[in-house]
Amino acid sequence: MTKILMVCLGNICRSPLAEGILKSKVFTSKVFVDSAGTGAYHVGNLPDPRSIDVAKQNGLDITDQKARKFSVKDYDEFDFIYVMDSSNYRNVIKLARNEQDKAKVKMILNEVFPGEDLDVPDPYYGGEFGFKNVYNMLDEACDKIVEIIK
């Protein structure tokens, strides 16, 4: 089974959307998808209501998710760790124990725009359109991830 972790700051906006989108595109019997945050601000909370709404508008239910913090043990559990922005990248890489750990960490938009290290903007303060735009970015990136793991 391939295991993929999506990581953002609080694990309530971007990474829950990425988790839900990717889960909708794969056979969950073959691919396990989870998400986490680099900060512990929202541990145990549901995704942001705006993430839940934009997911629902696209036929997805992400209300079974609860925020959790990224930990070193995630390097042992996951094959791919996709981060949403450069700050998350730095925070996750700081916890890497070796080059093998570091090799698992990727900027998610690099799957669409290789080598450009573009950030998925944090929609928390971006209003309703921010969440729609983020959903569309993550949807496209998840299509590329599906091609990679086939």
Side-chain angles (χ1 to χ4, degrees), residues 3-120:
K3 294 182 177 183
I4 300 173
L5 183 65
M6 304 296 191
V7 180
C8 69
L9 178 61
N11 193 211
I12 60 165
C13 294
R14 295 170 289 177
S15 56
L17 280 173
E19 175 185 344
I21 292 166
L22 188 58
K23 279 181 177 175
S24 76
K25 297 176 182 287
V26 299
F27 291 108
T28 54
S29 61
K30 295 184 179 185
V31 181
F32 176 78
V33 186
D34 195 10
S35 62
T38 56
Y41 318 107
H42 305 287
V43 169
N45 293 349
L46 288 172
D48 186 287
R50 296 166 293 178
S51 286
I52 292 170
D53 287 345
V54 77
K56 187 182 287 184
Q57 290 167 20
N58 288 279
L60 303 178
D61 181 1
I62 60 170
T63 59
D64 62 335
Q65 297 181 34
K66 298 269 195 267
R68 72 174 185 85
K69 190 172 187 307
F70 180 85
S71 72
V72 172
K73 72 178 179 119
D74 288 320
Y75 283 114
D76 298 325
E77 296 293 320
F78 292 93
D79 304 301
F80 298 94
I81 299 170
Y82 283 103
V83 297
M84 301 296 129
D85 63 36
S86 54
S87 175
N88 303 144
Y89 182 87
R90 286 189 302 274
N91 289 332
V92 169
I93 287 292
K94 278 182 200 172
L95 296 176
R97 301 162 294 191
N98 53 47
E99 292 304 313
Q100 184 180 359
D101 286 355
K102 290 178 184 177
K104 293 180 177 188
V105 184
K106 302 175 183 318
M107 296 277 289
I108 194 166
L109 289 184
N110 277 351
E111 300 304 356
V112 180
F113 306 102
E116 294 189 27
D117 294 335
L118 300 174
D119 290 348
V120 175

